[in-house]
Amino acid sequence: GAGVSQSPSNKVTEKGKDVELRCDPISGHTALYWYRQSLGQGLEFLIYFQGNSAPDKSGLPSDRFSAERTGGSVSTLTIQRTQQEDSAVYLCASSPNRGLLTDTQYFGPGTRLTVL
Amino acid sequence: SQQGEEDPQALSIQEGENATMNCSYKTSINNLQWYRQNSGRGLVHLILIRSNEREKHSGRLRVTLDTSKKSSSLLITASRAADTASYFCATDPFNAGGTSYGKLTFGQGTILTVHP
């Protein structure tokens, strides 16, 4: 079946502009995660959704970052007033999280964001 | 800081040889997952091992977990040039409430190069 998809695959923007990154999880997966991968920080957790709610936003680096999920499916990560340090690959993952045990996370191809 | 610490940081071997990568972590975990990444893009899931498991196999991959030492190893047997990639361990830690929801913490990764 179809895996996790993300768009755009690459985004170049100017400092100060807003950007929206989209994630389409695997159909039926209730859990959705955003991570960021940058040269200096490695892979970092940003936010977790269970259904449409976000119980853990602890990884969002500043209030310029926000995310939403609608219909228990598509998620959008928005970065306002982008800064050069926001340049990174943004990865989305989804998981079925059946029952009480967390499960394998399946990752999308990522969006490479470059802030000039 | 990253919970997972991996070693070696880089490993260079010849085709047909075995490759062993190690991962150490600091807190109690629900599970540990190994991922592979090519060219800095999407992560491919390899194996998930739960905290009550000691060893798992998948094809040429063997993962061990020692919760008393808080360490795991990934063994790739009879390596191939196509195994060249970065390999990451990721831990799913328990939170203060004794549950987990898949907030993965990644190591810095091991860069594996397999020469034909």
Side-chain angles (χ1 to χ4, degrees), chain B residues 2-31:
Chain B
Q2 297 287 329
Q3 160 154 255
E5 299 288 335
E6 295 178 59
D7 79 274
Q9 290 186 322
L11 182 60
S12 182
I13 59 175
Q14 296 294 129
E15 254 188 339
E17 294 180 339
N18 295 342
T20 300
M21 290 161 265
N22 302 295
C23 170
S24 60
Y25 57 92
K26 296 175 182 158
T27 65
S28 295
I29 61 170
N30 175 40
N31 65 62

Side-chain angles (χ1 to χ4, degrees), chain B residues 43-54:
Chain B
L43 293 162
V44 175
H45 180 261
L46 298 176
I47 288 184
L48 180 152
I49 186 165
R50 299 199 182 276
S51 59
N52 60 351
E53 297 175 309
R54 292 297 167 257

Side-chain angles (χ1 to χ4, degrees), chain A residues 8-35:
Chain A
S9 56
N10 286 285
K11 176 72 177 179
V12 180
T13 190
E14 292 179 348
K15 178 180 172 181
K17 295 281 180 69
D18 298 352
V19 295
E20 282 190 354
L21 311 179
R22 176 186 168 109
C23 172
D24 282 88
I26 293 171
S27 177
H29 281 192
T30 58
L32 186 147
Y33 307 82
W34 284 97
Y35 296 87

